[in-house]
Amino acid sequence: MTWSATARGAHQPDNTAFTQQRLPAWQPLLSASITLPLFFCAGLAFIGLGLGLYYSSNGIKELEYDYTGNPGTGNCSLCAAADQDHAPPPSCSCAWYFSLPELFQGPVYLYYELTNFYQNDRRYSVSRDDEQLSGLPSALRHPANECAPYQFSAAGLPIAPCGAIANSLFNDTFSLWHQLRADGPYVRVPLDRTGIAWWTDYHVKFHNPPLVNGSLALAFYGTARPPNWPRPVYELSPDPNNTGFINQDFVVWMRTAALPTFRKLYARIRQGNYSAGLPRGAYKVNITYNYPVRAFGGHKRIIFSSISWMGGKNPFLGIAYLVVGSLCILTGFVMLVVYIRYQDQSDEDEDEE
């Protein structure tokens, strides 16, 4: 009896205002005079913000072109005429000609878009080795099991970078040309390919392995390229600051998308005479057609887009705010009607008494 009382007392909280929950507290009484204005004010705030987002999104200019190459859709159809189960020839190229009647206000962003490509598939999204991508030498020689079946080559060499995400790297290329005058030659428009990846990805998550005798190729010696790649990772770019695991295109691709239709940034147009945007005139985009999509029913698009204070074109966010704001105001009116009705009934009952 004594032991039981002692044990029970040892586990009891201290007799303080905090542990015994005797501190002063404010418990609001949500009356109609407080709740109804909150609903109306919240609804008006959401609608105002939604209108701003919606009209800002509609003010963004976009120009897009589907270059998948379905029959009768332009000269890219010749590149897509190959067997759907195989990639087109590496020398296949096509062009998109277009004209702008007025200035395409800058800064102009160039995206590529893929459809029906499920980067959010669970097995696909985990098929990578983050330690290898961070430049860890031991992970370079011993890829993670999640990379299978793209973990080791047929010869038994470790694949770098390993995994399905890296193996499916998008490798179409684009160049933009501007015709300054009618019947004149086309002049190449400079595309800024730097800084297209997220800062945290480029500076934190992705690093090349330590150089061997000052050579990145020697650092990757004893590894194999992914099966779908035409060249090893250390030859992705002639620029030593943009090759290997820190290649900007590679880093952008490795950030997987949440939806089957997605865009990824390819370049920005903000240099030279095009810092203010694309002037009116005739243009063409030369496309090196490498990436097969018809085998899985996908489409490829190239998109020129401007931006606003809210980012790229996205009407969904503005519509979502408008819907939530409208529901708040509708709920407020319903509650107001119910309050008036039962308030009148309560007054009648009091008069009868």
Side-chain angles (χ1 to χ4, degrees), residues 98 177-190 273-274 278-284:
F98 65 95
W177 301 77
H178 179 206
Q179 191 177 34
L180 298 178
R181 62 180 185 276
D183 300 328
Y186 281 90
V187 177
R188 187 161 189 160
V189 178
N273 297 328
Y274 304 92
L278 295 177
R280 57 180 299 179
Y283 293 85
K284 73 172 180 178

Side-chain angles (χ1 to χ4, degrees), residues 58-312:
N58 284 348
I60 297 175
K61 296 177 62 176
E62 282 193 352
L63 183 65
E64 66 178 53
Y65 174 68
D66 189 328
Y67 72 99
T68 306
N70 293 329
T73 58
N75 57 1
C76 287
S77 59
L78 300 176
C79 296
D83 189 346
Q84 294 189 14
D85 296 329
H86 300 84
S91 61
C92 191
S93 61
C94 55
W96 168 37
Y97 294 86
F98 65 95
S99 60
L100 296 175
E102 59 183 7
L103 173 69
F104 196 103
Q105 190 68 40
V108 180
Y109 288 71
L110 176 58
Y111 299 90
Y112 62 87
E113 179 179 286
L114 297 179
T115 66
N116 205 34
F117 194 115
Y118 289 83
Q119 280 196 316
N120 59 351
D121 179 83
R122 186 188 67 83
R123 292 189 62 186
Y124 179 90
S125 62
V126 300
S127 185
R128 59 188 293 164
D129 187 346
D130 289 325
E131 290 188 349
Q132 185 191 68
L133 297 173
S134 68
L136 194 65
S138 59
L140 190 67
R141 310 298 173 184
H142 305 283
N145 294 330
E146 287 81 3
C147 289
Y150 305 106
Q151 184 180 13
F152 294 96
S153 68
L157 296 176
I159 295 177
C162 70
I165 306 177
N167 186 58
S168 61
L169 174 66
F170 183 83
N171 59 346
D172 285 359
T173 60
F174 314 102
S175 62
L176 179 62
W177 301 77
H178 179 206
Q179 191 177 34
L180 298 178
R181 62 180 185 276
D183 300 328
Y186 281 90
V187 177
R188 187 161 189 160
V189 178
L191 299 179
D192 186 2
R193 307 294 313 284
T194 62
I196 60 175
W198 285 33
W199 190 94
T200 51
D201 289 347
Y202 186 76
H203 291 91
V204 179
K205 294 183 178 180
F206 291 80
H207 298 282
N208 281 326
L211 301 180
V212 176
N213 296 329
S215 172
L216 185 62
L218 291 178
F220 283 98
Y221 180 78
T223 64
R225 59 178 173 82
N228 287 349
W229 286 28
R231 62 182 67 88
V233 65
Y234 53 84
E235 294 181 358
L236 285 179
S237 172
D239 182 1
N241 296 319
N242 188 40
T243 193
F245 292 154
I246 60 172
N247 176 262
Q248 292 275 347
D249 292 320
F250 174 70
V251 175
V252 168
W253 178 258
M254 292 300 291
R255 175 167 285 275
T256 55
L259 300 175
T261 297
F262 58 86
R263 298 177 181 181
K264 291 185 182 291
L265 183 60
Y266 183 81
R268 285 174 287 195
I269 304 172
R270 57 180 184 178
Q271 297 176 344
N273 297 328
Y274 304 92
S275 58
L278 295 177
R280 57 180 299 179
Y283 293 85
K284 73 172 180 178
V285 178
N286 286 339
I287 303 169
T288 303
Y289 196 109
N290 297 319
Y291 203 73
V293 295
R294 297 182 66 191
F296 56 87
H299 284 262
K300 301 188 291 185
R301 294 185 179 91
I302 181 173
I303 300 168
F304 292 96
S305 176
S306 59
I307 62 171
S308 69
W309 61 272
M310 58 163 287

Side-chain angles (χ1 to χ4, degrees), residues 26-36 38 335:
W26 176 65
Q27 296 180 344
L29 300 176
L30 299 179
S31 62
S33 60
I34 296 176
T35 305
L36 292 178
L38 286 177
M335 294 175 64

Side-chain angles (χ1 to χ4, degrees), residues 36 39-44 47 322-338:
L36 292 178
F39 270 92
F40 288 123
C41 291
L44 292 175
I47 288 178
L322 289 174
V323 170
V324 172
S326 301
L327 289 176
C328 285
I329 291 180
L330 179 62
T331 303
F333 276 113
V334 171
M335 294 175 64
L336 179 61
V337 171
V338 172

